[in-house]
Amino acid sequence: MQVYLNGRYIDHSEAMIPVDDRGFLFADGVYEVVRIYGGRAFLMQPHMRRLRAGLAALHIEGDVEDSLTDVAERLIRDNGVDGDGTIYIQVTRGVAPRRHAFPDPAVSPSVYVFAKPFKQYPDDYFNTGVAAVSVPDTRWTRCDIKSIALLPNVLANQQAHRAGAFEALFVKDGVLIEGSHSNLFGVLDGTLLTYPSCNYILSGITRTLVLEMARELGIPAAEAPIPWDRIDDVEELFLSGTTTEVMPVARVDDRVIGGGTRGPVTTRLQQAYSKRARG
Ligand code: PDD
């Protein structure tokens, strides 16, 4: 597999970074995961906008973002990704002796990109739903930055994995926030709810698309939290994300959600998503 590292297209087995890369030492960087459908990047522009916003938030300067769309397209071509796939983009502050403050003068950011085939999750995940576990949200208060510092997400997801569940749902101050690698939607009292876009969640590209599709379909929706103490009243629950797409949640911990299978709002949004993504 060909990958892109700091201006060069090389084989994955030859891609190496210096031990002083600040991504390795401090998780000082941001990333994006973009979906490929039929060999074409899906929603590349909003992903690039979010990457640019993340770089600005971390004060990582340098002209890294403009050419990345071309880089991704070349990797898709060179690696023959003509069906489903993912593009991964990571930018770190660069390589410098370990010191917390930024290198002065600034060093060139390290840029790594790969594109590879993605094996879709099993059909029943989408047809009947997955299990999730609830976990306390121990993350920092800048979850809006798609930082490569993902330790709380990794630990939460491992807890889900150990429990035989697909996702861990973060609960903070008595409300459901989002998943360890996905956003969360629920239908409560007939309204589609998702946590408001703010510093406590990653505002997903798929989340924005779901809200747009809900508007188009005339589904009543609001950016408002789902209280944990109303979990038994939730009619439908689903995850949204680049790899997760629109995926129903049938169970949280030992509670069955709604009818214990995919609900009608989820189904309509899945169909709308499929039309957008796969044409
Ligand atoms: N995760 N929330 C979190 C914490 C995420 O890590 C992600 C994406 C999302 C959904 O965002 P989007 O719709 O833009 O993919 C929400 C990616 C896919 C990952 O880390 O692999």
Side-chain angles (χ1 to χ4, degrees), residues 91-108:
V91 182
T92 75
R93 195 177 307 281
V95 180
R98 187 180 185 281
R99 194 170 60 100
H100 286 64
F102 300 170
D104 185 15
V107 292
S108 301

mmCIF file of all heavy atoms in Angstrom, residues 91-108:
data_model
loop_
_atom_site.group_PDB
_atom_site.id
_atom_site.type_symbol
_atom_site.label_atom_id
_atom_site.label_comp_id
_atom_site.label_asym_id
_atom_site.label_seq_id
_atom_site.Cartn_x
_atom_site.Cartn_y
_atom_site.Cartn_z
ATOM 1 N N VAL A 91 -1.992 15.339 10.917
ATOM 2 C CA VAL A 91 -0.997 16.423 10.871
ATOM 3 C C VAL A 91 -0.535 16.694 12.295
ATOM 4 O O VAL A 91 -1.370 16.926 13.184
ATOM 5 C CB VAL A 91 -1.592 17.716 10.269
ATOM 6 C CG1 VAL A 91 -0.530 18.815 10.191
ATOM 7 C CG2 VAL A 91 -2.189 17.459 8.881
ATOM 8 N N THR A 92 0.769 16.640 12.529
ATOM 9 C CA THR A 92 1.281 16.984 13.855
ATOM 10 C C THR A 92 2.154 18.238 13.743
ATOM 11 O O THR A 92 2.500 18.668 12.646
ATOM 12 C CB THR A 92 2.126 15.850 14.489
ATOM 13 O OG1 THR A 92 3.408 15.807 13.849
ATOM 14 C CG2 THR A 92 1.432 14.505 14.364
ATOM 15 N N ARG A 93 2.502 18.797 14.910
ATOM 16 C CA ARG A 93 3.267 20.051 14.904
ATOM 17 C C ARG A 93 4.654 19.865 14.299
ATOM 18 O O ARG A 93 5.277 20.820 13.880
ATOM 19 C CB ARG A 93 3.380 20.613 16.330
ATOM 20 C CG ARG A 93 3.827 22.074 16.360
ATOM 21 C CD ARG A 93 3.860 22.631 17.786
ATOM 22 N NE ARG A 93 2.601 22.437 18.473
ATOM 23 C CZ ARG A 93 1.531 23.209 18.294
ATOM 24 N NH1 ARG A 93 1.583 24.228 17.489
ATOM 25 N NH2 ARG A 93 0.400 22.940 18.936
ATOM 26 N N GLY A 94 5.142 18.639 14.250
ATOM 27 C CA GLY A 94 6.438 18.387 13.638
ATOM 28 C C GLY A 94 7.441 17.807 14.618
ATOM 29 O O GLY A 94 7.072 17.361 15.709
ATOM 30 N N VAL A 95 8.693 17.812 14.230
ATOM 31 C CA VAL A 95 9.757 17.131 14.975
ATOM 32 C C VAL A 95 10.633 18.169 15.668
ATOM 33 O O VAL A 95 11.147 19.081 15.020
ATOM 34 C CB VAL A 95 10.614 16.282 14.002
ATOM 35 C CG1 VAL A 95 11.729 15.561 14.762
ATOM 36 C CG2 VAL A 95 9.737 15.295 13.239
ATOM 37 N N ALA A 96 10.783 18.020 16.988
ATOM 38 C CA ALA A 96 11.632 18.955 17.750
ATOM 39 C C ALA A 96 11.997 18.290 19.079
ATOM 40 O O ALA A 96 11.218 17.463 19.574
ATOM 41 C CB ALA A 96 10.878 20.256 18.003
ATOM 42 N N PRO A 97 13.153 18.649 19.662
ATOM 43 C CA PRO A 97 13.512 18.089 20.974
ATOM 44 C C PRO A 97 12.389 18.311 21.989
ATOM 45 O O PRO A 97 11.718 19.338 21.958
ATOM 46 C CB PRO A 97 14.760 18.890 21.378
ATOM 47 C CG PRO A 97 15.300 19.406 20.089
ATOM 48 C CD PRO A 97 14.141 19.606 19.174
ATOM 49 N N ARG A 98 12.191 17.351 22.904
ATOM 50 C CA ARG A 98 11.023 17.391 23.797
ATOM 51 C C ARG A 98 11.071 18.585 24.755
ATOM 52 O O ARG A 98 11.953 18.692 25.607
ATOM 53 C CB ARG A 98 10.937 16.094 24.613
ATOM 54 C CG ARG A 98 9.650 16.011 25.424
ATOM 55 C CD ARG A 98 9.565 14.732 26.239
ATOM 56 N NE ARG A 98 8.270 14.637 26.913
ATOM 57 C CZ ARG A 98 7.949 15.293 28.031
ATOM 58 N NH1 ARG A 98 8.835 16.087 28.614
ATOM 59 N NH2 ARG A 98 6.748 15.160 28.567
ATOM 60 N N ARG A 99 10.089 19.452 24.572
ATOM 61 C CA ARG A 99 9.903 20.633 25.412
ATOM 62 C C ARG A 99 8.449 21.007 25.219
ATOM 63 O O ARG A 99 7.967 21.017 24.081
ATOM 64 C CB ARG A 99 10.820 21.767 24.922
ATOM 65 C CG ARG A 99 11.004 22.928 25.862
ATOM 66 C CD ARG A 99 12.121 23.853 25.361
ATOM 67 N NE ARG A 99 11.781 24.376 24.043
ATOM 68 C CZ ARG A 99 11.284 25.587 23.806
ATOM 69 N NH1 ARG A 99 11.101 26.436 24.802
ATOM 70 N NH2 ARG A 99 10.994 25.978 22.594
ATOM 71 N N HIS A 100 7.716 21.313 26.306
ATOM 72 C CA HIS A 100 6.272 21.487 26.147
ATOM 73 C C HIS A 100 5.917 22.630 25.198
ATOM 74 O O HIS A 100 5.053 22.488 24.344
ATOM 75 C CB HIS A 100 5.606 21.711 27.512
ATOM 76 C CG HIS A 100 5.504 20.461 28.337
ATOM 77 N ND1 HIS A 100 6.613 19.794 28.797
ATOM 78 C CD2 HIS A 100 4.428 19.764 28.761
ATOM 79 C CE1 HIS A 100 6.215 18.728 29.483
ATOM 80 N NE2 HIS A 100 4.900 18.680 29.477
ATOM 81 N N ALA A 101 6.567 23.768 25.369
ATOM 82 C CA ALA A 101 6.233 24.929 24.519
ATOM 83 C C ALA A 101 6.548 24.619 23.062
ATOM 84 O O ALA A 101 7.389 23.755 22.764
ATOM 85 C CB ALA A 101 7.023 26.141 24.991
ATOM 86 N N PHE A 102 5.874 25.328 22.160
ATOM 87 C CA PHE A 102 6.072 25.097 20.728
ATOM 88 C C PHE A 102 7.543 25.325 20.355
ATOM 89 O O PHE A 102 8.188 26.209 20.923
ATOM 90 C CB PHE A 102 5.240 26.080 19.883
ATOM 91 C CG PHE A 102 3.751 26.023 20.103
ATOM 92 C CD1 PHE A 102 2.936 27.005 19.536
ATOM 93 C CD2 PHE A 102 3.145 25.011 20.837
ATOM 94 C CE1 PHE A 102 1.559 26.979 19.714
ATOM 95 C CE2 PHE A 102 1.770 24.971 21.015
ATOM 96 C CZ PHE A 102 0.982 25.972 20.458
ATOM 97 N N PRO A 103 8.056 24.579 19.372
ATOM 98 C CA PRO A 103 9.407 24.854 18.869
ATOM 99 C C PRO A 103 9.482 26.286 18.324
ATOM 100 O O PRO A 103 8.538 26.738 17.675
ATOM 101 C CB PRO A 103 9.591 23.847 17.729
ATOM 102 C CG PRO A 103 8.454 22.905 17.788
ATOM 103 C CD PRO A 103 7.393 23.478 18.662
ATOM 104 N N ASP A 104 10.570 26.968 18.606
ATOM 105 C CA ASP A 104 10.740 28.343 18.144
ATOM 106 C C ASP A 104 12.159 28.485 17.593
ATOM 107 O O ASP A 104 13.113 28.341 18.372
ATOM 108 C CB ASP A 104 10.513 29.308 19.317
ATOM 109 C CG ASP A 104 10.566 30.751 18.875
ATOM 110 O OD1 ASP A 104 10.492 30.998 17.650
ATOM 111 O OD2 ASP A 104 10.695 31.634 19.750
ATOM 112 N N PRO A 105 12.336 28.704 16.300
ATOM 113 C CA PRO A 105 11.284 28.923 15.303
ATOM 114 C C PRO A 105 10.486 27.651 15.023
ATOM 115 O O PRO A 105 10.954 26.548 15.322
ATOM 116 C CB PRO A 105 12.086 29.352 14.064
ATOM 117 C CG PRO A 105 13.441 28.731 14.239
ATOM 118 C CD PRO A 105 13.697 28.731 15.714
ATOM 119 N N ALA A 106 9.300 27.848 14.447
ATOM 120 C CA ALA A 106 8.401 26.717 14.161
ATOM 121 C C ALA A 106 9.075 25.737 13.204
ATOM 122 O O ALA A 106 9.918 26.119 12.396
ATOM 123 C CB ALA A 106 7.107 27.247 13.557
ATOM 124 N N VAL A 107 8.704 24.467 13.331
ATOM 125 C CA VAL A 107 9.211 23.437 12.414
ATOM 126 C C VAL A 107 8.073 23.053 11.459
ATOM 127 O O VAL A 107 6.913 23.379 11.712
ATOM 128 C CB VAL A 107 9.713 22.194 13.192
ATOM 129 C CG1 VAL A 107 10.953 22.530 13.999
ATOM 130 C CG2 VAL A 107 8.616 21.619 14.099
ATOM 131 N N SER A 108 8.423 22.354 10.381
ATOM 132 C CA SER A 108 7.371 21.957 9.429
ATOM 133 C C SER A 108 6.480 20.909 10.065
ATOM 134 O O SER A 108 6.979 19.955 10.680
ATOM 135 C CB SER A 108 7.969 21.303 8.190
ATOM 136 O OG SER A 108 8.820 22.174 7.573
#
